[in-house]
Amino acid sequence: MTTPIKEHLAAPGPVAVPPAVLEAIARPVVHHRTDTFAQTLNEARAVLAELLGVQDEGVAILTGNGTAAFEAAFLASVPSGATVLSVHAGKFGARWAKLARVHGHEVIDVTAPWGRVVPPEAIADALAANPGVQAVTLVHSETSTGVLHDLEAQAAAVHAAAPDAILLVDAVTSLAVSELRPEAWHLDAVVAGSQKGVMLPPGLGFAWLSERVRAKPVSPRRTLAFDVHAELTAQAKGATATTPAVGLVAGLVAARPYLLEGGVEALWRRRATLNEALLAAGTAAGCTPFAERPSPAVAALRVPDSIAAPDVVHALAARGVRIAGGQDDAKPFLIRPSLLGHADAYDALGLVGMLELALRDAGLDVPAGVAVAAAMTVLES
Amino acid sequence: MTTPIKEHLAAPGPVAVPPAVLEAIARPVVHHRTDTFAQTLNEARAVLAELLGVQDEGVAILTGNGTAAFEAAFLASVPSGATVLSVHAGKFGARWAKLARVHGHEVIDVTAPWGRVVPPEAIADALAANPGVQAVTLVHSETSTGVLHDLEAQAAAVHAAAPDAILLVDAVTSLAVSELRPEAWHLDAVVAGSQKGVMLPPGLGFAWLSERVRAKPVSPRRTLAFDVHAELTAQAKGATATTPAVGLVAGLVAARPYLLEGGVEALWRRRATLNEALLAAGTAAGCTPFAERPSPAVAALRVPDSIAAPDVVHALAARGVRIAGGQDDAKPFLIRPSLLGHADAYDALGLVGMLELALRDAGLDVPAGVAVAAAMTVLES
C-alpha cells in the first residue's frame, strides 16, 4: 500500500467542505461594518432560519465553536442559581451538565447507557420529582454514540411536566441533518456549530432563541463577549456586537445551494439515506449498529470482538480516509464513519469500499464487495 | 468619479490579508485530531511565541474574537469576587471595565480623556488608595483613540505598588505592531485577535498567560468553552480542548514570513514608519494628530473644524478605500486610516493620495501632492 495522495474526511465533523464554499471563504476580507457585510450576514442568517424553519429574528451567528455557542445560549437564557436538569447518554450531553456545574448551578442528571436513548418518561419522572427545575438541557444527536434522541417526545415531556422550564438543545449534529422544528416542539434555545451539517470549516457557532427567551433576557447579563441578546440586537441591523469571522459567514451563504436546493426536507432525506447505507454496509461486513435509534449524522458501528476498532481507524487513515473512532470507554470497539459533509452516493460507495479493505487490514475476513453491495441496495431503493 | 473596481482595507482591523494566507485558509479542511493539524498548531503557536518573545507553553490559540479572548483570559486569571482596577481612556479599555462588572466584580476606574495616555503615576496613586486590588486591566494600543500607552511604565507602576495583582493587557492592536515584552514587563495575561497585526481574517483570539497564572489556575473554573488553562494543557500536546478554526490556524502559519522574516523588531520598525507616514501626510493636509502618544497601529487624525470627518470616510469609501471614522463622541471630527495589515510604502502612498482627494471631496482645500510628499519624506528617511 502506498502513501495516499488524497485525504477524505469521513468523520462526524469536521466535514468535507464544497470547493465553492472554500473559495468564498478565501476572498479578500470585507470590513464587517459595511453594507456589503450586512447583506452577507442577513443572507447567512436566512440560511439558518430556513434550515430551522423559524424567522430570522431569533437566529444569531457567533464567532466560536459549538461549545462556545452552547455556553453563550445557556448564559443568555438560564438565570444564575437556577436548578438545571441535564439529560445525557454520551460525551457531549455530559459536557452540558459540566458546563452548568462550572457556572455554579445545581444539576440533576438524567442518564442512560451509551448507545441508548433517554426515554421521555425518565425525563417526566425526574421533573415530577424535582419541581424546582428551571432549565433542561437535551442533546438531539449524540455524536459520541450515534444516537438520535426523540427530541419531539422529550421536549413534549418537558413541556407537559414543567412548562416554564427553559429547554436548551444541542443540535450540533442534527441541524441540517435531521428533522428539527424548534417552534413546533417548544424549544427555547437551539445550538449548533459550523463544521457539521452546514458543511463549513470550524469557527462559527449558531444559536437560536425562542420568543420567550428573547422577551426576557437573563438579568444581570452573565457574559460580555458571548451575549446572544446583544448579538441578536446588532444582527437585526445587519451588524454584530463583536467582530465576526467574516469569511465563514460568507461561506455559509455560499453553502446555501448545497443545503437548501430542493428544500430542507430533501436534505434530511439525503442525509438519512447516506447514513443508512453506511450502517447497512457495516452490518454486512460483520459490524453491529451501536445506536438504539441511529442519528443520520454518523454511523456508529461496533466491530466484532475479534478485531480492535483503533486498528480499523488507523488502517483507514493509512489509506487516506479519516473516520472517527470511539471515545472514552467505547474506544476499543467503536468506529464512527460519517458522510455529514459534502457527500453523495459516490462518496458512500468509496467510503464503504475502503471500510471493507480496512476491516480486512485489521484482521476481519470480509468477502470483497459485500459491504458495497449492501450500501448500493440502500442507495438505489 | 466612477464606481470603484477594487476595495482597499485601510482600517485598524480587519486588515488586508496576504493572498497566500487566504489561499492557505481555503485549503480543504484538516481534521483537528491528526498529526497534520498538531504540527500546524505547534507552528502557529511558535509564530505567536516569537512575536511575543516568550516560550510556546504560555500561548493559547482560541476560536473567537479578541473580546472573547479577553473574557477567557480574565476568567482564567482573576478569581471570582476580586477587586479590579480598570485603566482606560477609550472605547476598548472601557469594555474591560464593563466585562469585570458583568462578572460581578467591584471595579475601580482610572481614566483619562480620549486621546490622552493614562500616566503611570495615576495608576500608582489608585493602587495606593485601594490596597485590596487583585487585578488590573490595561490597554496597550487603544484603537479608538490611536494612543499607545507606555505599557512598560504602567506595568512597572503596578508591579511596584501591587506586586501580587494580576495584570491583564489588551494587546489587540499592539501584537506584531509595537514593542511588547510580556515577561520583561511582568505582565500576566496578554490578549489579541487575528484580524489585526498578524494579518489574518477575524475569527481567532490569542491569549498568553504568565507562569504564575499558569501555576495557579483560577479555582473553581469560571467557564467551560473558554477555559484557557484547559486549552494550554491540550495545546501542549498538539490538540485543542474544543474544536478549533483549523483554516485560520493554518493561515497564521502561512502569515509567518510576512511577520517574522527579518525578526520582530524589523516588523515593529516597518509598522512605525508606515504609521508615521500617515500621520505626517495627514498633518501636511491640514489635520491634527489626535493621540498624545501615537500607536503605530492607526493614524488617528482630527480633521479641521471646517469639514466633517464622516464626509471624509464616505468619500474614501466611494473611492474604494475603507478607513475607520471616530467612535462615539469622536465621530464628528476623527478619522482613523491604518496600514495595520499587509501593506508597504506603495500602499502608504496610494492611501495618502486618496486621502488628499477625499479631504478635497469633503471641502478642504488641499494642494495636490502635499500629503504624498510628506509621507515620502518619512518613508525615505
Side-chain angles (χ1 to χ4, degrees):
Chain A
M1 200 176 59
T2 53
T3 304
I5 59 164
K6 289 181 74 176
E7 288 288 337
H8 302 272
L9 262 185
V15 301
V17 176
V21 173
L22 291 171
E23 187 272 326
I25 292 168
R27 285 184 210 152
V29 170
V30 170
H31 197 292
H32 53 288
R33 305 222 181 271
T34 57
D35 292 344
T36 304
F37 180 71
Q39 186 176 335
T40 302
L41 181 65
N42 290 343
E43 291 178 15
R45 293 175 76 216
V47 171
L48 293 171
E50 190 171 346
L51 287 168
L52 289 164
V54 299
Q55 299 299 306
D56 298 11
E57 60 192 346
V59 177
I61 297 179
L62 308 172
T63 303
N65 52 36
T67 306
F70 199 98
E71 186 154 340
F74 185 94
L75 296 177
S77 54
V78 182
S80 204
T83 299
V84 176
L85 188 87
S86 187
V87 179
H88 53 97
K91 192 175 180 73
F92 291 95
R95 182 178 285 183
W96 312 135
K98 181 176 175 188
L99 185 148
R101 289 192 170 95
V102 162
H103 287 285
H105 294 268
E106 186 191 338
V107 178
I108 296 152
D109 298 273
V110 180
T111 66
W114 281 37
R116 311 289 295 177
V117 299
V118 180
E121 299 72 28
I123 300 169
D125 291 348
L127 288 170
N130 297 280
V133 167
Q134 292 162 269
V136 178
T137 69
L138 297 176
V139 177
H140 192 191
S141 167
E142 173 54 63
T143 319
S144 65
T145 65
V147 164
L148 185 76
H149 284 96
D150 186 345
L151 178 59
E152 184 177 8
Q154 288 184 334
V158 174
H159 200 63
D164 292 336
I166 297 295
L167 214 171
L168 294 104
V169 175
D170 168 352
V172 169
T173 57
S174 69
L175 174 69
V177 178
S178 184
E179 184 180 7
L180 175 59
R181 304 193 186 277
E183 289 178 347
W185 297 352
H186 298 292
L187 313 179
D188 287 297
V190 173
V191 167
S194 56
Q195 78 281 14
K196 307 286 184 177
V198 302
M199 303 187 196
L200 293 184
L204 290 185
F206 310 124
W208 170 84
L209 298 184
S210 69
E211 202 177 328
R212 72 170 175 172
V213 171
R214 299 201 305 276
K216 204 178 151 187
V218 160
S219 178
R221 297 298 168 90
R222 305 183 70 186
T223 171
L224 185 126
F226 306 101
D227 184 339
V228 184
H229 296 291
E231 283 298 341
L232 287 172
T233 301
Q235 293 185 20
K237 292 178 274 189
T240 53
T242 59
T243 307
V246 293
L248 293 170
V249 178
L252 181 52
V253 175
R256 190 187 184 288
Y258 301 95
L259 298 168
L260 287 165
E261 194 78 40
V264 69
E265 300 191 356
L267 175 65
W268 296 338
R269 282 194 296 273
R270 288 199 300 276
R271 298 294 195 194
T273 301
L274 288 173
N275 202 64
E276 283 163 23
L278 295 186
L279 288 171
T283 305
C287 304
T288 314
F290 182 65
E292 178 181 359
R293 187 173 187 270
S295 165
V298 57
L301 289 159
R302 186 177 190 122
V303 302
D305 290 344
S306 60
I307 64 170
D311 289 350
V312 181
V313 174
H314 295 142
L316 277 166
R319 292 175 179 277
V321 181
R322 174 69 50 185
I323 67 164
Q327 292 172 291
D328 300 347
D329 292 349
K331 189 163 185 177
F333 61 81
L334 204 63
I335 60 172
R336 293 181 298 144
S338 167
L339 292 169
L340 189 52
H342 184 46
D344 61 7
Y346 173 106
D347 296 290
L349 295 176
L351 174 57
V352 303
M354 297 299 278
L355 179 61
E356 285 189 16
L357 295 175
L359 287 166
R360 285 155 65 169
D361 292 342
L364 193 67
D365 181 24
V366 183
V370 293
V372 175
M376 277 179 186
T377 303
V378 173
L379 294 168
E380 293 287 299
S381 67
Chain B
M1 201 176 60
T2 53
T3 305
I5 59 164
K6 289 181 74 176
E7 288 289 334
H8 302 272
L9 262 185
V15 302
V17 176
V21 173
L22 291 171
E23 187 273 325
I25 293 169
R27 285 183 211 154
V29 170
V30 170
H31 196 292
H32 53 288
R33 304 222 181 271
T34 58
D35 293 344
T36 304
F37 180 71
Q39 186 176 334
T40 302
L41 181 65
N42 291 343
E43 291 178 15
R45 292 175 75 217
V47 171
L48 294 171
E50 190 171 346
L51 288 168
L52 289 164
V54 299
Q55 299 298 306
D56 298 10
E57 59 192 347
V59 177
I61 296 180
L62 308 173
T63 303
N65 53 35
T67 306
F70 199 97
E71 186 154 340
F74 184 94
L75 296 176
S77 54
V78 181
S80 204
T83 299
V84 176
L85 188 87
S86 187
V87 179
H88 53 96
K91 191 174 179 74
F92 290 96
R95 182 178 285 183
W96 312 135
K98 181 177 174 188
L99 185 147
R101 289 191 169 95
V102 162
H103 287 286
H105 294 267
E106 187 191 337
V107 179
I108 296 152
D109 298 272
V110 181
T111 66
W114 281 38
R116 311 290 295 179
V117 299
V118 179
E121 299 72 30
I123 299 169
D125 291 349
L127 288 169
N130 297 281
V133 167
Q134 291 162 270
V136 178
T137 68
L138 297 176
V139 177
H140 192 191
S141 168
E142 173 54 64
T143 318
S144 65
T145 65
V147 164
L148 185 75
H149 283 96
D150 187 345
L151 177 60
E152 183 177 10
Q154 289 184 335
V158 173
H159 199 64
D164 293 335
I166 297 296
L167 215 170
L168 294 104
V169 175
D170 168 351
V172 170
T173 57
S174 69
L175 174 69
V177 178
S178 185
E179 185 179 6
L180 176 59
R181 304 193 186 276
E183 289 178 347
W185 297 352
H186 299 293
L187 313 180
D188 287 298
V190 173
V191 167
S194 57
Q195 78 279 14
K196 308 286 184 176
V198 302
M199 303 187 197
L200 293 184
L204 290 184
F206 310 124
W208 171 85
L209 298 184
S210 69
E211 201 177 328
R212 71 169 175 172
V213 171
R214 298 200 305 276
K216 204 178 150 185
V218 161
S219 179
R221 298 297 169 89
R222 306 183 70 187
T223 170
L224 186 128
F226 306 100
D227 184 338
V228 184
H229 296 291
E231 283 298 342
L232 287 172
T233 301
Q235 293 185 19
K237 292 178 274 188
T240 53
T242 59
T243 308
V246 293
L248 292 170
V249 178
L252 181 52
V253 176
R256 191 189 183 287
Y258 301 95
L259 299 168
L260 286 165
E261 194 78 39
V264 69
E265 299 191 358
L267 175 65
W268 296 338
R269 282 194 297 273
R270 289 199 300 277
R271 297 294 194 195
T273 301
L274 288 174
N275 202 63
E276 283 163 23
L278 295 186
L279 288 171
T283 305
C287 304
T288 313
F290 182 65
E292 177 181 359
R293 188 172 186 271
S295 165
V298 57
L301 289 159
R302 187 178 190 121
V303 302
D305 291 343
S306 60
I307 65 170
D311 288 351
V312 181
V313 174
H314 294 143
L316 278 167
R319 292 174 179 278
V321 181
R322 174 71 48 186
I323 68 164
Q327 293 171 291
D328 301 346
D329 291 349
K331 189 164 185 176
F333 61 81
L334 204 63
I335 59 173
R336 293 181 299 145
S338 166
L339 291 169
L340 189 54
H342 185 44
D344 61 7
Y346 173 105
D347 295 290
L349 295 176
L351 174 57
V352 303
M354 296 300 277
L355 178 62
E356 284 190 16
L357 295 175
L359 287 166
R360 284 155 67 169
D361 292 342
L364 193 67
D365 181 23
V366 183
V370 294
V372 175
M376 278 179 185
T377 303
V378 173
L379 294 168
E380 293 287 298
S381 66

